[in-house]
């Protein structure tokens, strides 16, 4: 990136949207170098703190005119490097666009800006007797703009689906500064191509969201939680199938494998010493008591079951969630470096995937543990290591995990996106023809390749597609 173009961009941006919203010194820009992935960060040359659609439009117009790359950013909690300004240039921070503009109880929808923290939308909706189901575990700090760009999921996705199911429409600004509105405010609507669906999950590479219209549901009247302990992973995963065959539709079914339980114990979380796998299952709806009793019976009578606890009041439910909620922070403490993958396989293949992960770990000598959303077949396989000398073994382990996932009929990412960390594998799943088609779509939205460059698509030439 020529220094002259960056200097001209600094002057033009400060003039167009005001000095106070344009950060250029290394300290202020340093905080925008990384996200929550293990990908290497890069300090941007400029950070624009947008406070209106006009600021986004001006930024994308100036960037296009001067040929400067732009990386959109919301909460910075991404796990695939999506918000890292890999090519330098401008980070377009949308966190200050944080208004909930409308909570429409009659039509069950919300109109929000991209910087609304997901947990704040949950609270605001629930205060009105409404419900916004997508619940990435980062809900305290991730934002709706990032959730829409990554099509975020979470524990409740089994019953309620991912963010995609709730996006009715978006206002998005394209490179060059032109804004389009796609979608609708109605429940149904099939006019034209479904551009909204294309933009959801586009990882900040096609347009920058300035407003999002979301579908809401009535708040479920009751919630109940069950925790089941099992002697091994296969017993626990078979119990997931038994629950579904019994006709129950839980809103979440979370799973922790034996190394995950050992990790929690090592950090002081009390878990029955006989247990080698854990299921956390949650029900919601009108009258959950009878369903909770059924669920308790199904779990207790499942082969390999060791103990089952159930709860309906908020404090006891929170206590049952303790082990699951502690999983991500605990994993962070176990080793200097970790990679958290989020592969998905058909539910029936989860046990086989766990066996293959154990084999990969042994073969490459890399510590691993797995937990995740068993209802969706979406497993967070974590590789942990302490020494940079082990980097190559970890890379081989990740590559073998991707191959095992695809061989079992799965997909590389259930919720974290491809970003920087999985771009080298995308062609293995999608094949060159589809990757080439997607690259063509990218060029329609962003002919100069300036919006979040270096993401999703493999580095030039390696995917044999373009
Ligand atoms: C502890 C922890 C738990 C997590 N649990 C889950 C989970 O359960 N489920 C899940 O799905 N994810 C989870 N994640 C990953 C992450 O929180 C999600 O991917 C989340 O959606 C990212 O939102 P964000 O606001 O932080 O986005 P960022 O990290 O800021 O950005 C993510 C992507 O969105 C793009 N983007 C940001 N704002 C805009 C905008 N206004 N317009 C267009 N593109 C934009 C960025 O360019 C980037 O590509 C977890 C992360 C952590 C750290």
């Amino acid at each position: 990136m020529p220094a002259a173009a960056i200097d001209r961009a600094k002057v033009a941006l400060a003039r167009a949207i005001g000095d106070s919203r344009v950060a250029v010194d290394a300290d202020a820009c340093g905080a925008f170098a990384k996200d929550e992935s293990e990908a290497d960060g890069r300090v941007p040359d400029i950070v624009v703190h947008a406070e209106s659609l006009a600021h986004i439009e001006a930024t994308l117009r100036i960037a296009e005119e001067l040929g400067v790359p732009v990386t959109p950013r919301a909460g910075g909690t991404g796990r695939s490097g999506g918000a890292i300004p890999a090519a330098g240039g401008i980070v377009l921070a949308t966190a200050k666009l944080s208004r909930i503009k409308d909570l429409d109880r009659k039509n069950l929808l919300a109109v929000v800006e991209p910087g609304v923290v997901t947990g704040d939308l949950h609270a605001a909706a629930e205060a009105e007797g409404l419900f916004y189901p997508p619940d990435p575990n980062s809900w305290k700090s991730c934002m709706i703009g990032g959730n829409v760009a990554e099509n975020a999921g979470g524990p409740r996705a089994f019953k309620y689906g991912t963010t995609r199911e709730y996006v009715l429409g978006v206002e998005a600004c394209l490179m060059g500064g032109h804004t389009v509105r796609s979608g609708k405010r109605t429940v149904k609507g099939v006019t034209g191509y479904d551009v909204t669906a294309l933009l959801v999950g586009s990882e900040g590479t096609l347009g920058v969201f300035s407003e999002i219209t979301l579908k809401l549901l009535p708040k479920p009247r009751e919630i109940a939680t069950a925790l089941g302990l099992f002697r091994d992973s296969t017993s626990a995963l078979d119990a997931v199938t038994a629950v579904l065959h019994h006709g129950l539709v839980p809103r979440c079914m979370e799973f922790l494998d034996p190394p995950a339980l050992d990790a929690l114990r090592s950090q002081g979380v009390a878990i029955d010493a006989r247990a080698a796998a854990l299921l956390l299952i949650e029900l919601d709806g009108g009258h959950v008591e009878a369903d909770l009793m059924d669920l308790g019976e199904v779990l207790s009578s499942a082969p390999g079951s060791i103990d089952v606890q159930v709860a309906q009041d908020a404090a006891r439910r929170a206590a049952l969630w303790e082990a699951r909620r502690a999983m991500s922070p605990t994993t962070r403490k176990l080793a200097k470096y970790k990679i958290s993958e989020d592969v998905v396989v058909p539910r029936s293949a989860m046990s086989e995937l766990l066996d293959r992960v154990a084999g990969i770990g042994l073969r490459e000598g890399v510590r691993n543990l797995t937990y995740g959303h068993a209802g969706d077949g979406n497993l967070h396989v974590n590789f942990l290591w302490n020494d940079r000398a082990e980097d190559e073994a970890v890379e081989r382990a990740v590559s073998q995990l991707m191959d095992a996932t695809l061989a079992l009929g799965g997909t590389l990412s259930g919720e974290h996106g491809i970003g920087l960390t999985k771009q080298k594998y995308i062609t293995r799943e999608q094949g060159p023809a589809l990757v080439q088609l997607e690259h063509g779509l990218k060029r329609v939205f962003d002919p100069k390749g300036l919006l979040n460059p270096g993401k999703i698509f493999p580095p030039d030439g390696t995917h044999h597609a373009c």
Side-chain angles (χ1 to χ4, degrees):
M1 173 56 36
I6 295 290
D7 288 342
R8 289 174 65 200
K10 287 176 183 170
V11 173
L13 286 165
R15 193 177 300 139
I17 65 179
D19 273 333
S20 63
R21 300 187 188 95
V22 182
V24 294
D25 66 277
D27 280 352
C29 292
F32 296 83
K34 276 185 75 61
D35 62 3
E36 290 288 333
S37 70
E38 288 296 326
D40 291 338
R42 175 165 177 173
V43 179
D45 300 288
I46 305 169
V47 177
V48 171
H49 294 279
E51 291 176 33
S52 68
L53 171 61
H55 296 159
I56 296 177
E57 287 175 334
T59 304
L60 297 187
R61 177 177 49 74
I62 290 165
E64 169 112 332
E65 279 168 11
L66 299 176
V68 176
V70 182
T71 303
R73 184 179 178 101
T77 69
R79 280 256 159 102
S80 59
I84 293 177
I90 302 166
V91 162
L92 178 48
T94 53
K96 289 193 173 168
L97 283 159
S98 58
R99 279 183 309 153
I100 297 177
K101 290 173 147 180
D102 192 9
L103 266 182
D104 182 342
R105 292 187 70 209
K106 257 192 181 163
N107 293 303
L108 293 177
L109 59 83
V111 180
V112 303
E113 291 183 331
V116 170
V117 171
T118 309
D120 292 348
L121 178 61
H122 289 152
E126 285 171 32
E128 295 289 324
L130 301 170
F131 182 43
Y132 177 64
D135 61 338
N137 279 317
S138 48
W139 52 269
K140 283 186 187 159
S141 47
C142 68
M143 296 171 183
I144 298 295
N147 293 174
V148 175
E150 297 290 359
N151 186 22
R156 300 197 289 233
F158 174 68
K159 178 171 178 181
Y160 290 106
T162 58
T163 302
R164 172 181 303 292
E165 270 78 31
Y166 298 88
V167 181
L168 295 173
V170 296
E171 177 183 81
C173 189
L174 311 184
M175 281 310 292
H178 316 290
T179 296
V180 294
R181 294 185 70 95
S182 71
K184 56 202 183 288
R185 279 179 70 107
T186 51
V187 177
K188 284 174 142 181
V190 293
T191 309
Y193 289 148
D194 195 347
V195 175
T196 308
L198 177 62
L199 292 172
V200 175
S202 61
E203 303 191 25
T205 63
L206 298 181
V208 180
F209 305 125
S210 46
E211 185 185 286
I212 300 143
T213 303
L214 295 165
K215 180 174 88 172
L216 302 176
L217 299 177
K219 186 177 159 188
R221 278 190 276 166
E222 294 173 18
I223 308 169
T225 307
L227 181 144
L229 296 176
F230 292 84
R231 69 167 178 236
D232 54 37
S233 296
T234 304
S235 310
L237 295 171
D238 286 348
V240 167
T241 308
V243 169
L244 298 179
H245 284 174
H246 200 76
L248 293 165
V249 186
R251 69 175 185 177
C252 14
M253 291 204 268
E254 298 289 295
F255 164 79
L256 276 60
D257 83 343
L261 293 194
D262 285 342
L264 288 170
R265 289 184 184 109
S266 76
Q267 299 296 314
V269 180
I271 299 167
D272 190 324
R274 295 168 301 161
L278 180 153
L279 282 183
L280 187 82
I281 302 191
E282 200 153 81
L283 301 163
D284 67 1
H287 304 282
V288 296
E289 201 158 342
D291 280 353
L292 184 61
M293 283 179 67
D294 272 2
L295 176 62
E297 275 171 32
V298 174
L299 293 178
S300 311
S301 57
S305 169
I306 288 173
D307 186 31
V308 178
Q309 298 169 45
V310 296
Q312 273 188 275
D313 69 90
R316 289 197 56 227
R317 285 183 42 239
L320 295 188
W321 269 94
E322 191 200 353
R324 176 63 183 93
R325 292 259 182 254
M327 208 53 254
S328 183
T330 295
T331 313
R332 237 313 138 238
K333 285 186 210 150
L334 291 178
K336 222 162 158 188
Y337 310 110
K338 82 160 181 154
I339 284 185
S340 176
E341 294 298 346
D342 72 321
V343 295
V344 194
V345 290
R347 263 195 307 276
S348 58
M350 280 190 291
S351 279
E352 173 66 24
L353 184 75
L354 290 174
D355 286 348
R356 294 196 190 193
V357 169
I360 292 167
L362 280 177
R363 203 160 43 245
E364 298 300 341
V366 182
R367 184 176 180 187
N368 58 83
L369 61 83
T370 298
Y371 57 92
H373 317 301
D376 305 320
N378 184 191
L379 294 174
H380 295 303
V381 179
N382 286 255
F383 292 110
L384 309 163
W385 72 110
N386 283 310
D387 190 337
R388 282 286 168 213
E390 295 170 69
D391 283 5
E392 281 180 19
V394 173
E395 199 168 331
R396 284 195 301 274
V398 171
S399 175
Q400 290 165 39
L401 169 68
M402 297 306 165
D403 285 341
T405 300
L406 295 176
L408 292 169
T411 182
L412 304 180
S413 174
E415 43 186 36
H416 293 168
I418 297 300
L420 283 175
T421 57
K422 283 186 281 283
Q423 57 184 183
K424 55 178 169 259
Y425 308 115
I426 188 172
T427 315
R428 287 192 207 173
E429 175 174 339
Q430 297 201 321
L434 184 56
V435 174
Q436 189 166 23
L437 180 68
E438 290 172 270
H439 220 151
L441 284 168
K442 162 76 175 159
R443 278 194 288 266
V444 170
F445 282 80
D446 175 21
K448 295 184 182 169
L450 292 169
L451 189 58
N452 214 353
K455 309 294 166 63
I456 300 180
F457 301 103
D460 276 352
T462 58
H463 54 77
H464 312 293
C466 312

